């Protein structure tokens, strides 16, 4: 097991009707005004907008807004938020939504304390040292952004979808009320679920010996997701399934499962997926259900062990050599994605064979990446081809 | 799943040769002097004492000492530490040891900021609102005290072994170097392991529906312990097994596995065990390997479900009705305790039949407790009888 440092200071208020509990935390921190950051329709439909604004009004906290945050959020929206904060009078940022709202909020929180352009952070030209405090309300689980120190933002101009990480970006307090997710479109529940699974798969398949304890915890979480995603397709208002899904979503990419791993995960599939989102607007979860099986097929013959262990521990595959188990595990995962109507090929997403080159070119901009194998340009192209 | 609040602010430095990394944290907090709190022999034998004092000396931090902290630590030692702090010049408390050193340090940290006698906190006569910061170095895993906000202390005069809990008692930073545990006596590895398992068993057997996700995580942790305890009996210097054991010990009673549970665990076995430690000096882990099976046998017929689930998920027991599986699970657990040379009867501990009455009388002082069943005086006596 590798040495590690663990510190996750975010407080979580989890459960039904808990938004009102956020007021005490805001008051204790003497917050008088927050910048409300959210998307659109979904925030209203879930009831979150009403509950949050009522809570703030009752607490005497003003809440200027930045809204219309999109999935795969854009740097221009971040700049809009920063401009609003710099106009004055904002004590904290309050995202209401999923990972996009939280990621936008984090970038605004950091950019508001910086005199240059916020994209500098994403390009590594400046280091984040300070940020406004973040208090968030989650309405869609997937990214763990509600409890981690990461923000992923897209810049169409420079054709980059990249992340920033800083310990000042941990939300102070996040409210996770699983019942806000009752009204999510089925597709979003499925894609969010794939993303949660991918955060775990990126770790258990990274080739690091890590810790058997943490691997066992990872496998248990994958089995939970394989149980609850179909439950939620059948009944989107199944509270206990929503709660397990939301808790899994919170833990999966919180850093907890990186303990003891040298690589802290592989994350090639995430990088390859980012190019699909950036160039073709593919939903993040859909990019992962396409690319993870392709990445796996490309690498399992040279590295059968992690895939075989996945097969044994998640899919009860015990027959054959490691290589056989590995292939069966990949096929079973792919079958699961198909069963829940997640795409597994670029073709299904409407991409053409010619697009592979564009994808590869874009992904190669952020090479090197990968832990099970550090990928090169040829690998990247071959994986996209397999995904086609 | 029940609503919950989660916030664990402790930072963990985990791994080989990591004591030196604590210096930066102490310096950043402007700590000039710490009260070193430790037991005796073990602290020297593990190498921890040398590493810690070298680190402090190099960092220019002075370290007056309170030593000779015993297992099942005593309130008088806490008072000794408080007197030293009140004499002046101490910025923080630095336990080096296992749960006893950490618990003593926490009680000192709180008592040093209070004008009355520290036992008031344990009797509920005063509320902890302030404490000196705690920076600890763990040399024996078991209690999770290194990452939680709990301290358990014994008072022989009032015949009570009781706990305090306060959010100001979370250590700021804990160093967990599993290699310090290479030199633990086998017995302590076994008893610590039983304690870690008990922290999980208290939860999965508490009768709360909780969360299937968290239960699955709990079962995975139990399977890890059943693997690593025998590995460590065979080879006390097996680093990966020590690391999994230390990580399990850290997570088990950190609050993580209470997420979504109404009762946050049953803990009757802990209370019944405390009387054994207090009156007869029984090691904490030994009290648990005796009492948990007895408590289980007493309750499983009326509550077979949690025991049956334990059987399925940890011991692969799938045949028969829930009641059959439950009994087989309890027997298998007891067999495991016997296999690792943990006691399973009061008789083995040298107690006499007459002692049952004294134990019951003592335990009944802190009634009510228990979640699967809230125990009454008769229950308490019957469980001790079964344990005899």
């Amino acid at each position: 097991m590798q040495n590690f440092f663990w510190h996750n200071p975010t407080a979580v208020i989890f459960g039904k009707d808990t938004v009102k509990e956020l007021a005490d935390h805001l008051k204790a921190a003497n917050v008088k005004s927050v910048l409300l950051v959210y998307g659109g329709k979904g925030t209203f439909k879930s009831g979150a907008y009403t509950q949050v604004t009522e809570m703030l009004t009752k607490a005497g906290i003003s809440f200027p807004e930045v809204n219309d945050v999109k999935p795969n959020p854009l740097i221009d929206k971040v700049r809009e938020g920063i401009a609003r904060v710099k106009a004055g009078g904002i004590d904290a940022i309050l995202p209401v939504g999923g990972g996009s709202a939280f990621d936008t909020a984090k970038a605004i929180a950091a950019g508001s304390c910086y005199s240059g352009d916020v994209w500098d952070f994403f390009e590594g030209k400046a280091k984040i040292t300070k940020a406004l405090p973040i208090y968030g309300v989650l309405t869609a689980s997937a990214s763990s952004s509600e409890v981690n120190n990461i923000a992923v933002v897209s810049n169409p101009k420079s054709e980059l979808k990249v992340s920033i990480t800083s310990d000042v970006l941990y939300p102070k307090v996040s409210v996770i009320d699983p019942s806000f997710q009752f009204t999510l479109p089925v597709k979003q529940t499925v894609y969010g679920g794939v993303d949660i699974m991918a955060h775990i798969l990126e770790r258990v398949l990274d080739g690091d010996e890590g810790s058997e304890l943490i691997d066992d915890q990872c496998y248990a979480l994958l089995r939970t997701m394989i149980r609850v995603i179909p439950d939620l397709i059948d009944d989107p208002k199944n509270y206990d399934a929503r709660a397990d899904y939301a808790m899994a979503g919170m833990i999966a990419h919180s850093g907890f499962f990186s303990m003891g791993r040298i690589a802290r995960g592989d994350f090639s599939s995430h990088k390859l997926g980012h190019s699909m989102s950036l160039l073709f607007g593919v939903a993040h979860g859909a990019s992962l259900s396409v690319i993870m099986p392709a990445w796996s097929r490309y690498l399992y013959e040279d590295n059968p062990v992690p895939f075989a262990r996945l097969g044994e521990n998640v899919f009860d595959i015990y027959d054959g050599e490691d290589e056989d188990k590995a292939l069966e595990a990949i096929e079973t995962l792919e079958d699961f994605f198909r069963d829940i109507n997640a795409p597994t090929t670029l073709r299904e997403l409407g991409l053409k064979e010619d697009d592979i080159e564009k994808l590869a070119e874009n992904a190669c901009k952020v090479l090197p990446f990968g832990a099970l194998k550090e990928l090169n340009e040829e690998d990247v192209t071959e994986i996209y081809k397999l995904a086609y």
Side-chain angles (χ1 to χ4, degrees), chain A residues 354-375:
Chain A
D354 291 351
D355 296 329
I356 290 173
E357 206 179 314
K358 291 180 214 160
L359 286 170
E361 199 187 326
N362 185 267
C364 288
K365 282 197 207 178
V366 290
L367 282 175
F369 51 73
L372 184 62
K373 180 178 195 303
E374 193 179 293
L375 303 185

PDB file of all heavy atoms in Angstrom, chain A residues 354-375:
ATOM      1  N   ASP A 354     -14.766   9.393 -39.653  1.00  0.00           N
ATOM      2  CA  ASP A 354     -13.824  10.510 -39.811  1.00  0.00           C
ATOM      3  C   ASP A 354     -13.570  11.270 -38.506  1.00  0.00           C
ATOM      4  O   ASP A 354     -12.530  11.927 -38.348  1.00  0.00           O
ATOM      5  CB  ASP A 354     -14.376  11.551 -40.822  1.00  0.00           C
ATOM      6  CG  ASP A 354     -14.385  10.996 -42.230  1.00  0.00           C
ATOM      7  OD1 ASP A 354     -13.811   9.898 -42.414  1.00  0.00           O
ATOM      8  OD2 ASP A 354     -14.969  11.639 -43.108  1.00  0.00           O
ATOM      9  N   ASP A 355     -14.557  11.208 -37.624  1.00  0.00           N
ATOM     10  CA  ASP A 355     -14.435  11.988 -36.383  1.00  0.00           C
ATOM     11  C   ASP A 355     -13.356  11.435 -35.457  1.00  0.00           C
ATOM     12  O   ASP A 355     -12.882  12.142 -34.564  1.00  0.00           O
ATOM     13  CB  ASP A 355     -15.779  12.016 -35.635  1.00  0.00           C
ATOM     14  CG  ASP A 355     -16.860  12.725 -36.435  1.00  0.00           C
ATOM     15  OD1 ASP A 355     -16.508  13.655 -37.200  1.00  0.00           O
ATOM     16  OD2 ASP A 355     -18.038  12.352 -36.310  1.00  0.00           O
ATOM     17  N   ILE A 356     -12.983  10.172 -35.660  1.00  0.00           N
ATOM     18  CA  ILE A 356     -11.982   9.549 -34.791  1.00  0.00           C
ATOM     19  C   ILE A 356     -10.689  10.359 -34.774  1.00  0.00           C
ATOM     20  O   ILE A 356     -10.095  10.594 -33.725  1.00  0.00           O
ATOM     21  CB  ILE A 356     -11.725   8.083 -35.233  1.00  0.00           C
ATOM     22  CG1 ILE A 356     -12.959   7.239 -34.911  1.00  0.00           C
ATOM     23  CG2 ILE A 356     -10.475   7.513 -34.567  1.00  0.00           C
ATOM     24  CD1 ILE A 356     -12.912   5.818 -35.430  1.00  0.00           C
ATOM     25  N   GLU A 357     -10.313  10.805 -35.946  1.00  0.00           N
ATOM     26  CA  GLU A 357      -9.069  11.568 -36.053  1.00  0.00           C
ATOM     27  C   GLU A 357      -9.134  12.855 -35.239  1.00  0.00           C
ATOM     28  O   GLU A 357      -8.192  13.212 -34.527  1.00  0.00           O
ATOM     29  CB  GLU A 357      -8.816  11.904 -37.523  1.00  0.00           C
ATOM     30  CG  GLU A 357      -7.362  12.109 -37.860  1.00  0.00           C
ATOM     31  CD  GLU A 357      -7.198  12.418 -39.357  1.00  0.00           C
ATOM     32  OE1 GLU A 357      -7.825  11.704 -40.179  1.00  0.00           O
ATOM     33  OE2 GLU A 357      -6.482  13.387 -39.675  1.00  0.00           O
ATOM     34  N   LYS A 358     -10.279  13.539 -35.340  1.00  0.00           N
ATOM     35  CA  LYS A 358     -10.444  14.791 -34.584  1.00  0.00           C
ATOM     36  C   LYS A 358     -10.384  14.519 -33.085  1.00  0.00           C
ATOM     37  O   LYS A 358      -9.771  15.268 -32.323  1.00  0.00           O
ATOM     38  CB  LYS A 358     -11.806  15.434 -34.904  1.00  0.00           C
ATOM     39  CG  LYS A 358     -11.922  15.976 -36.305  1.00  0.00           C
ATOM     40  CD  LYS A 358     -13.308  16.587 -36.538  1.00  0.00           C
ATOM     41  CE  LYS A 358     -13.744  16.369 -37.989  1.00  0.00           C
ATOM     42  NZ  LYS A 358     -15.179  16.493 -38.193  1.00  0.00           N
ATOM     43  N   LEU A 359     -11.066  13.440 -32.668  1.00  0.00           N
ATOM     44  CA  LEU A 359     -11.053  13.093 -31.248  1.00  0.00           C
ATOM     45  C   LEU A 359      -9.630  12.826 -30.773  1.00  0.00           C
ATOM     46  O   LEU A 359      -9.197  13.343 -29.732  1.00  0.00           O
ATOM     47  CB  LEU A 359     -11.908  11.840 -31.001  1.00  0.00           C
ATOM     48  CG  LEU A 359     -13.429  12.027 -31.059  1.00  0.00           C
ATOM     49  CD1 LEU A 359     -14.132  10.666 -31.035  1.00  0.00           C
ATOM     50  CD2 LEU A 359     -13.908  12.894 -29.898  1.00  0.00           C
ATOM     51  N   ALA A 360      -8.921  12.022 -31.558  1.00  0.00           N
ATOM     52  CA  ALA A 360      -7.565  11.644 -31.157  1.00  0.00           C
ATOM     53  C   ALA A 360      -6.672  12.880 -31.071  1.00  0.00           C
ATOM     54  O   ALA A 360      -5.892  13.039 -30.122  1.00  0.00           O
ATOM     55  CB  ALA A 360      -6.993  10.627 -32.137  1.00  0.00           C
ATOM     56  N   GLU A 361      -6.815  13.756 -32.041  1.00  0.00           N
ATOM     57  CA  GLU A 361      -6.007  14.965 -32.049  1.00  0.00           C
ATOM     58  C   GLU A 361      -6.263  15.803 -30.793  1.00  0.00           C
ATOM     59  O   GLU A 361      -5.349  16.291 -30.139  1.00  0.00           O
ATOM     60  CB  GLU A 361      -6.357  15.784 -33.299  1.00  0.00           C
ATOM     61  CG  GLU A 361      -5.311  16.798 -33.685  1.00  0.00           C
ATOM     62  CD  GLU A 361      -5.815  17.688 -34.827  1.00  0.00           C
ATOM     63  OE1 GLU A 361      -6.588  17.165 -35.689  1.00  0.00           O
ATOM     64  OE2 GLU A 361      -5.471  18.874 -34.836  1.00  0.00           O
ATOM     65  N   ASN A 362      -7.554  15.911 -30.453  1.00  0.00           N
ATOM     66  CA  ASN A 362      -7.904  16.695 -29.271  1.00  0.00           C
ATOM     67  C   ASN A 362      -7.391  16.058 -27.982  1.00  0.00           C
ATOM     68  O   ASN A 362      -6.802  16.737 -27.132  1.00  0.00           O
ATOM     69  CB  ASN A 362      -9.428  16.887 -29.213  1.00  0.00           C
ATOM     70  CG  ASN A 362      -9.836  17.797 -28.067  1.00  0.00           C
ATOM     71  OD1 ASN A 362     -10.139  17.337 -26.976  1.00  0.00           O
ATOM     72  ND2 ASN A 362      -9.792  19.102 -28.312  1.00  0.00           N
ATOM     73  N   ALA A 363      -7.602  14.750 -27.866  1.00  0.00           N
ATOM     74  CA  ALA A 363      -7.182  14.067 -26.627  1.00  0.00           C
ATOM     75  C   ALA A 363      -5.668  14.125 -26.462  1.00  0.00           C
ATOM     76  O   ALA A 363      -5.166  14.243 -25.340  1.00  0.00           O
ATOM     77  CB  ALA A 363      -7.682  12.619 -26.623  1.00  0.00           C
ATOM     78  N   CYS A 364      -4.959  14.036 -27.596  1.00  0.00           N
ATOM     79  CA  CYS A 364      -3.494  14.005 -27.505  1.00  0.00           C
ATOM     80  C   CYS A 364      -2.907  15.318 -26.999  1.00  0.00           C
ATOM     81  O   CYS A 364      -1.765  15.353 -26.528  1.00  0.00           O
ATOM     82  CB  CYS A 364      -2.882  13.618 -28.849  1.00  0.00           C
ATOM     83  SG  CYS A 364      -3.153  11.860 -29.193  1.00  0.00           S
ATOM     84  N   LYS A 365      -3.710  16.392 -27.078  1.00  0.00           N
ATOM     85  CA  LYS A 365      -3.257  17.672 -26.529  1.00  0.00           C
ATOM     86  C   LYS A 365      -2.926  17.570 -25.058  1.00  0.00           C
ATOM     87  O   LYS A 365      -2.127  18.353 -24.544  1.00  0.00           O
ATOM     88  CB  LYS A 365      -4.365  18.725 -26.672  1.00  0.00           C
ATOM     89  CG  LYS A 365      -4.525  19.329 -28.027  1.00  0.00           C
ATOM     90  CD  LYS A 365      -5.350  20.610 -27.844  1.00  0.00           C
ATOM     91  CE  LYS A 365      -6.128  20.962 -29.098  1.00  0.00           C
ATOM     92  NZ  LYS A 365      -6.953  22.164 -28.880  1.00  0.00           N
ATOM     93  N   VAL A 366      -3.637  16.684 -24.326  1.00  0.00           N
ATOM     94  CA  VAL A 366      -3.408  16.620 -22.876  1.00  0.00           C
ATOM     95  C   VAL A 366      -2.604  15.389 -22.454  1.00  0.00           C
ATOM     96  O   VAL A 366      -2.528  15.054 -21.279  1.00  0.00           O
ATOM     97  CB  VAL A 366      -4.741  16.732 -22.069  1.00  0.00           C
ATOM     98  CG1 VAL A 366      -5.291  18.142 -22.183  1.00  0.00           C
ATOM     99  CG2 VAL A 366      -5.775  15.713 -22.529  1.00  0.00           C
ATOM    100  N   LEU A 367      -2.014  14.676 -23.428  1.00  0.00           N
ATOM    101  CA  LEU A 367      -1.089  13.585 -23.073  1.00  0.00           C
ATOM    102  C   LEU A 367       0.078  14.160 -22.266  1.00  0.00           C
ATOM    103  O   LEU A 367       0.413  15.334 -22.447  1.00  0.00           O
ATOM    104  CB  LEU A 367      -0.538  12.915 -24.344  1.00  0.00           C
ATOM    105  CG  LEU A 367      -1.449  11.924 -25.073  1.00  0.00           C
ATOM    106  CD1 LEU A 367      -0.788  11.450 -26.365  1.00  0.00           C
ATOM    107  CD2 LEU A 367      -1.806  10.737 -24.209  1.00  0.00           C
ATOM    108  N   PRO A 368       0.754  13.406 -21.376  1.00  0.00           N
ATOM    109  CA  PRO A 368       0.486  12.004 -21.087  1.00  0.00           C
ATOM    110  C   PRO A 368      -0.616  11.819 -20.041  1.00  0.00           C
ATOM    111  O   PRO A 368      -0.802  12.654 -19.177  1.00  0.00           O
ATOM    112  CB  PRO A 368       1.824  11.545 -20.492  1.00  0.00           C
ATOM    113  CG  PRO A 368       2.355  12.758 -19.800  1.00  0.00           C
ATOM    114  CD  PRO A 368       1.875  13.929 -20.613  1.00  0.00           C
ATOM    115  N   PHE A 369      -1.354  10.702 -20.165  1.00  0.00           N
ATOM    116  CA  PHE A 369      -2.265  10.282 -19.102  1.00  0.00           C
ATOM    117  C   PHE A 369      -2.356   8.766 -19.111  1.00  0.00           C
ATOM    118  O   PHE A 369      -1.900   8.117 -20.058  1.00  0.00           O
ATOM    119  CB  PHE A 369      -3.641  10.956 -19.225  1.00  0.00           C
ATOM    120  CG  PHE A 369      -4.299  10.850 -20.585  1.00  0.00           C
ATOM    121  CD1 PHE A 369      -4.843   9.648 -21.038  1.00  0.00           C
ATOM    122  CD2 PHE A 369      -4.385  11.963 -21.420  1.00  0.00           C
ATOM    123  CE1 PHE A 369      -5.472   9.559 -22.270  1.00  0.00           C
ATOM    124  CE2 PHE A 369      -4.999  11.877 -22.674  1.00  0.00           C
ATOM    125  CZ  PHE A 369      -5.542  10.670 -23.094  1.00  0.00           C
ATOM    126  N   GLY A 370      -2.969   8.232 -18.049  1.00  0.00           N
ATOM    127  CA  GLY A 370      -3.094   6.776 -17.937  1.00  0.00           C
ATOM    128  C   GLY A 370      -2.141   6.203 -16.913  1.00  0.00           C
ATOM    129  O   GLY A 370      -0.994   6.653 -16.800  1.00  0.00           O
ATOM    130  N   ALA A 371      -2.605   5.213 -16.163  1.00  0.00           N
ATOM    131  CA  ALA A 371      -1.772   4.569 -15.140  1.00  0.00           C
ATOM    132  C   ALA A 371      -1.581   3.088 -15.447  1.00  0.00           C
ATOM    133  O   ALA A 371      -0.473   2.581 -15.429  1.00  0.00           O
ATOM    134  CB  ALA A 371      -2.399   4.745 -13.761  1.00  0.00           C
ATOM    135  N   LEU A 372      -2.668   2.379 -15.772  1.00  0.00           N
ATOM    136  CA  LEU A 372      -2.522   0.966 -16.146  1.00  0.00           C
ATOM    137  C   LEU A 372      -1.565   0.900 -17.330  1.00  0.00           C
ATOM    138  O   LEU A 372      -0.673   0.065 -17.391  1.00  0.00           O
ATOM    139  CB  LEU A 372      -3.889   0.362 -16.523  1.00  0.00           C
ATOM    140  CG  LEU A 372      -3.895  -1.117 -16.847  1.00  0.00           C
ATOM    141  CD1 LEU A 372      -3.455  -1.953 -15.656  1.00  0.00           C
ATOM    142  CD2 LEU A 372      -5.273  -1.581 -17.323  1.00  0.00           C
ATOM    143  N   LYS A 373      -1.767   1.805 -18.285  1.00  0.00           N
ATOM    144  CA  LYS A 373      -0.769   2.071 -19.322  1.00  0.00           C
ATOM    145  C   LYS A 373      -0.767   3.568 -19.585  1.00  0.00           C
ATOM    146  O   LYS A 373      -1.843   4.159 -19.761  1.00  0.00           O
ATOM    147  CB  LYS A 373      -1.109   1.314 -20.610  1.00  0.00           C
ATOM    148  CG  LYS A 373      -0.103   1.556 -21.739  1.00  0.00           C
ATOM    149  CD  LYS A 373      -0.429   0.752 -22.973  1.00  0.00           C
ATOM    150  CE  LYS A 373       0.729   0.687 -23.969  1.00  0.00           C
ATOM    151  NZ  LYS A 373       1.228   1.986 -24.427  1.00  0.00           N
ATOM    152  N   GLU A 374       0.405   4.162 -19.598  1.00  0.00           N
ATOM    153  CA  GLU A 374       0.488   5.556 -20.003  1.00  0.00           C
ATOM    154  C   GLU A 374       0.325   5.573 -21.512  1.00  0.00           C
ATOM    155  O   GLU A 374       1.121   4.969 -22.237  1.00  0.00           O
ATOM    156  CB  GLU A 374       1.829   6.165 -19.569  1.00  0.00           C
ATOM    157  CG  GLU A 374       1.807   7.692 -19.692  1.00  0.00           C
ATOM    158  CD  GLU A 374       3.109   8.343 -19.245  1.00  0.00           C
ATOM    159  OE1 GLU A 374       3.431   8.283 -18.052  1.00  0.00           O
ATOM    160  OE2 GLU A 374       3.784   8.913 -20.126  1.00  0.00           O
ATOM    161  N   LEU A 375      -0.730   6.193 -21.984  1.00  0.00           N
ATOM    162  CA  LEU A 375      -1.081   6.070 -23.401  1.00  0.00           C
ATOM    163  C   LEU A 375      -0.213   6.975 -24.281  1.00  0.00           C
ATOM    164  O   LEU A 375       0.232   8.036 -23.846  1.00  0.00           O
ATOM    165  CB  LEU A 375      -2.553   6.432 -23.594  1.00  0.00           C
ATOM    166  CG  LEU A 375      -3.578   5.625 -22.795  1.00  0.00           C
ATOM    167  CD1 LEU A 375      -5.003   6.019 -23.199  1.00  0.00           C
ATOM    168  CD2 LEU A 375      -3.386   4.112 -22.974  1.00  0.00           C
TER     169      LEU A 375
END
